Amino acid sequence: ANGYYHSRWVKCIWSSHDLSDAVLIDNFIFNKDVYIQFNSTVGEYVGYTEHGVYNAQLWNNNPGQLQGERAELERVCKPNAEIYQSTITDKS
């Protein structure tokens, strides 16, 4: 299929059992290129294209949006990581 493709990939990454190193990465992708990314260790959006830089500045100046994105680490990543870890631990 020809055309334009937009996707959003959210990743939770951690390696320690206490989840102190957990990171949320939220990628906004257009035609296979990341144009904006939120990384919880950075704490704000970063743009990688002209359009991405423009939107990252807008989103970083929106306190509600930025606060919501920052909260996703605690709301989504850590609870799910705990479930995954307990499932793995129970089976070993």
Side-chain angles (χ1 to χ4, degrees):
N2 295 324
Y4 298 101
Y5 301 93
H6 182 269
S7 61
R8 181 176 180 183
W9 295 6
V10 180
K11 302 178 210 176
C12 299
I13 303 168
W14 72 95
S15 62
S16 67
H17 291 289
D18 65 1
L19 305 177
S20 61
D21 64 344
V23 176
L24 171 103
I25 299 175
D26 190 355
N27 290 311
F28 295 81
I29 303 159
F30 182 73
N31 283 354
K32 299 182 183 179
D33 292 322
V34 175
Y35 67 98
I36 298 175
Q37 181 182 78
F38 179 87
N39 182 319
S40 63
T41 58
V42 176
E44 65 181 22
Y45 295 96
V46 176
Y48 295 102
T49 65
E50 184 178 345
H51 176 69
V53 169
Y54 174 79
N55 281 298
Q57 289 174 343
L58 289 176
W59 296 355
N60 287 332
N61 287 322
N62 180 337
Q65 183 170 355
L66 203 53
Q67 182 180 359
E69 187 78 76
R70 289 175 179 157
E72 291 298 284
L73 178 66
E74 297 295 327
R75 189 182 79 79
V76 175
C77 289
K78 289 186 178 181
N80 284 312
E82 289 173 356
I83 293 167
Y84 297 139
Q85 287 204 176
S86 68
T87 302
I88 292 167
T89 305
D90 291 346
K91 292 193 181 219
S92 50

